[in-house]
């Protein structure tokens, strides 16, 4: 932990993984940190996360790992990875036209890299334990943010001894027995230098921020609900029922079922389907659910989940919506900033929600450091522009974060950073963070929505598989082209999301051009040249590819 005489007070709203990491970054830099959480201590098994069941599993990938690696806490990443299960591929389940069950493994990465199945509660516990060990961190659980004045750097919290459950529409808020519906507990007034909102999609911090900043806000509920299921270990040896090193997918045209391994050798599973499908199944689950699963998710029930358990889990577990949120700016002056789902909630189909939120923290503090907010962390020569991708190397393989732009501090352009007022440095850093991060957050939101189509149907498409194989071939055997699949760039690298999308679109245009060129040259060869001239034909194809790659540079 850095010892500083100019300590500031940082208030973090939300003690989930993103909020905990933000608190850790600030505490390691020497700030006095207070963490306020609406729920009870998330390490307590009796605390159920809002909008989640207790057994939720997540996919941890390079961006999240890299962000925790830079938190400045030794062994944090190693301790977390010890409690994960590597998943190196998707396993696609289906039934052939002959009626036979099949499994098709599709590697995530041609070099064998993996994403990691991690228990959300376990990850959260590791981060909170690291925070609790620091003398400059204080937790305030069961505290609800009720108001904020970002001009006076003041917030108000209501302390609830026993916070009511507000998990979902099937379990609405219930007043406690000791209070009436209209009675409120006394409020606590808190002053701060910086408030970091990391309190999720239905963020109170964002709600109060929007009273001060002119926030452009967009939210979309997609016509898909989700319900959790559970595949138990096999008896009598408690082994995994299916491969533990795959993310299992049963794709459908408008719905899908996925399964992620857990450390107890069970699988946490999720059914995604349109709301109309859920309504139809809910009308009579005893009679409608088993044939629905048999038809659309072959080999799942009763083989892996017994019919009684299937019906019981569908009936007991909530059917929850999926929301996508975009907004900007993420800050107000030098007083407040929002990160994670509070800034950009996304649907879960790219496995990047938590990873993007953790990356928010790393990028935010990179900007704070570069602008001299933390003098001991400041870079000697901050970069002046974002990194652009190069076709000569593969940026997706690097674990080094991309350089960050350091816009000039327009209010004091002639002053050295060390002599600029701390509030001006902070305001400039937050403004630069918003400008830099907004296009990336919007991009991954869009990619996550698009990936639902890929997971539920495209994974079995010949065209999708053709492009995947071509890109992996070029990635493996021609690395100097800087070629890589979009998924590899997103999940195994730290390249900006917006640059990943641009690069993937360029590769798509190039492939379409090559396919067109191959067709033209091959057609001409077949008609006028003959098979004996095939080497000349392919020389032409190689030349075409070389020219297009040259233009792409």
């Amino acid at each position: 932990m850095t010892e500083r005489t100019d300590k500031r007070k940082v208030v973090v709203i939300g003690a989930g993984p993103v909020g905990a990491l933000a608190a850790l970054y600030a505490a390691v830099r020497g700030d006095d940190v207070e963490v306020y959480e609406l729920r009870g201590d998330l390490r307590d098994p009796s605390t159920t996360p809002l909008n989640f069941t207790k057994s939720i599993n997540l996919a941890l990938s390079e961006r999240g790992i890299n962000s925790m690696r830079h938190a400045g806490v030794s062994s944090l990443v190693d301790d977390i990875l010890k409690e994960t299960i590597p998943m190196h591929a998707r396993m696609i389940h289906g039934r052939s036209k002959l009626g036979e069950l099949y499994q098709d493994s599709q590697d995530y990465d041609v070099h064998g890299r993996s994403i990691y199945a991690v228990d959300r509660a376990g990850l959260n516990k590791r981060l909170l334990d690291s925070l609790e060990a620091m003398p400059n961190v204080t937790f305030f659980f069961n505290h609800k943010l009720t108001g904020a004045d970002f001009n006076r750097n003041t917030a108000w919290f209501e302390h609830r001894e026993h916070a009511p459950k507000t998990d979902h529409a099937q379990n609405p808020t219930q007043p406690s027995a000791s209070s009436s519906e209209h009675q409120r507990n006394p409020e606590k007034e808190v002053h701060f230098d910086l408030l970091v909102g990391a309190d999720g999609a239905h963020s109170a911090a964002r709600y109060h921020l929007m009273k001060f900043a002119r926030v452009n806000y967009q939210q979309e509920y997609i016509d898909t609900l989700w319900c959790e299921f559970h595949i138990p270990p096999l008896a009598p040896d408690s082994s995994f029922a299916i491969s533990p090193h795959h993310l299992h997918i049963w794709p459908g045209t408008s719905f899908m079922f996925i399964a992620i391994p857990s450390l107890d050798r069970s699988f946490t599973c999720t059914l995604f389907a349109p709301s109309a499908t859920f309504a139809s199944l809910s009308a009579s689950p005893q009679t409608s659910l088993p044939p629905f699963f048999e038809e659309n998710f072959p080999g799942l029930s009763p083989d892996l989940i017994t019919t009684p358990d299937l019906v019981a889990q569908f009936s007991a577990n909530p059917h929850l919506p999926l929301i996508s949120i975009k907004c900007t700016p993420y800050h107000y002056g030098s007083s407040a900033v929002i990160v994670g789902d509070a800034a950009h909630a996304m649907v879960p189909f790219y496995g990047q929600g938590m990873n993007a939120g953790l990356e928010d923290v790393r990028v935010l503090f990179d900007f704070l450091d570069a602008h001299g907010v933390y003098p001991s962390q400041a870079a000697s020569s901050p970069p002046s522009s974002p990194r652009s991708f190069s076709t000569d190397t593969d940026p997706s393989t690097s674990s080094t974060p991309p350089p960050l732009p350091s816009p000039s501090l327009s209010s004091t352009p002639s002053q050295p950073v060390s002599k600029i007022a701390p509030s001006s440095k902070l305001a400039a850093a937050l403004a630069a963070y918003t400008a830099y991060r907004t296009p990336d957050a919007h991009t991954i939101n869009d990619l996550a929505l698009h990936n639902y189509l890929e997971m539920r149907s495209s994974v079995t498409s010949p065209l999708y598989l053709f492009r995947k194989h071509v890109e992996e071939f070029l990635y493996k055997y021609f690395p100097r082209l800087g070629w890589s699949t979009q998924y590899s760039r997103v999940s195994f690298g730290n390249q900006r999301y917006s640059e990943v999308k641009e690069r993937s679109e360029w590769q798509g245009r190039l492939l379409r051009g090559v396919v067109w060129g191959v067709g033209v040259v091959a057609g001409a060869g077949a008609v006028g040249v003959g098979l004996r001239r095939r080497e000349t034909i392919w020389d032409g194809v190689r030349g075409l590819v070389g020219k297009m790659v040259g233009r792409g540079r």
Side-chain angles (χ1 to χ4, degrees), residues 209-408:
L209 178 72
M210 292 172 72
K211 299 175 183 177
F212 292 83
R214 292 176 293 182
V215 177
N216 293 317
Y217 176 83
Q218 173 189 333
Q219 76 172 37
E220 176 186 0
Y221 281 99
I222 68 172
D223 185 26
T224 298
L225 301 179
W226 65 276
C227 178
E228 185 178 289
F229 291 82
H230 179 78
I231 296 177
L234 290 177
D237 59 349
S238 296
S239 59
F240 284 103
I242 47 181
S243 167
H245 298 298
H246 288 80
L247 189 154
H248 295 263
I249 302 176
W250 284 260
T253 304
S254 60
F255 37 74
M256 70 174 180
F257 191 93
I258 67 171
I260 299 177
S262 300
L263 290 175
D264 64 359
R265 300 185 179 181
S266 67
F267 283 82
T268 299
C269 311
T270 310
L271 168 66
F272 297 98
S275 56
T277 301
F278 270 93
S280 175
L281 295 173
S282 298
S284 180
Q286 292 278 2
T287 57
S288 61
L289 198 63
F292 173 80
F293 268 70
E294 172 62 25
E295 178 183 354
N296 297 290
F297 310 128
L300 188 56
S301 180
D303 303 39
L304 302 176
I305 307 176
T306 66
T307 299
D309 282 349
L310 184 74
V311 174
Q313 292 177 38
F314 180 83
S315 301
N317 292 338
H319 305 160
L320 298 173
L322 293 171
I323 191 172
S324 177
I325 291 175
K326 297 178 182 177
C327 70
T328 195
Y330 300 141
H331 76 288
Y332 177 73
S334 62
S335 302
V337 63
I338 53 176
V339 293
D341 283 357
H344 48 73
M346 66 191 72
V347 295
F349 304 117
Y350 225 120
Q352 286 294 302
M354 179 186 66
N355 291 287
L358 297 176
E359 187 179 57
D360 284 349
V361 174
R362 194 265 303 164
V363 173
L364 170 63
F365 279 85
D366 279 353
F367 273 105
L368 295 175
D369 293 341
H371 282 75
V373 175
Y374 297 102
S376 63
Q377 305 284 333
S380 57
S381 56
S384 59
S385 62
R387 181 183 69 176
S388 298
F389 60 73
S390 168
T391 57
D392 294 323
T393 59
D394 177 16
S396 74
T397 63
S398 173
S399 62
T400 303
L404 303 174
S406 180
S408 61

Side-chain angles (χ1 to χ4, degrees), residues 475-494:
Y475 181 24
K476 183 175 182 178
Y477 294 105
F478 300 94
R480 287 191 59 80
L481 292 179
W483 206 282
S484 180
T485 64
Q486 179 174 278
Y487 188 90
S488 288
R489 292 181 186 278
V490 167
S491 297
F492 304 119
N494 296 285

Side-chain angles (χ1 to χ4, degrees), residues 114-125:
S114 301
I115 60 176
Y116 298 88
V118 61
D119 175 65
R120 188 182 194 273
L123 171 64
N124 215 157
K125 182 181 184 302

Side-chain angles (χ1 to χ4, degrees), residues 28-40:
V28 165
R29 284 162 173 76
D31 287 335
D32 289 324
V33 180
E34 294 182 355
V35 180
Y36 290 83
E37 170 57 50
L38 173 64
R39 299 156 289 182

Side-chain angles (χ1 to χ4, degrees), residues 501-545:
K501 183 180 180 182
E502 291 171 5
R503 179 66 172 178
S504 181
E505 290 174 346
W506 174 81
Q507 289 181 179
R509 292 193 297 270
L510 177 58
L511 279 179
R512 288 192 294 271
V514 169
V515 170
W516 178 84
V518 168
V520 170
V521 175
V527 172
V529 180
L531 295 177
R532 289 179 299 175
R533 304 293 302 277
R534 61 183 181 275
E535 292 184 1
T536 302
I537 294 173
W538 285 107
D539 285 342
V541 172
R542 284 191 290 269
L544 175 63
V545 172

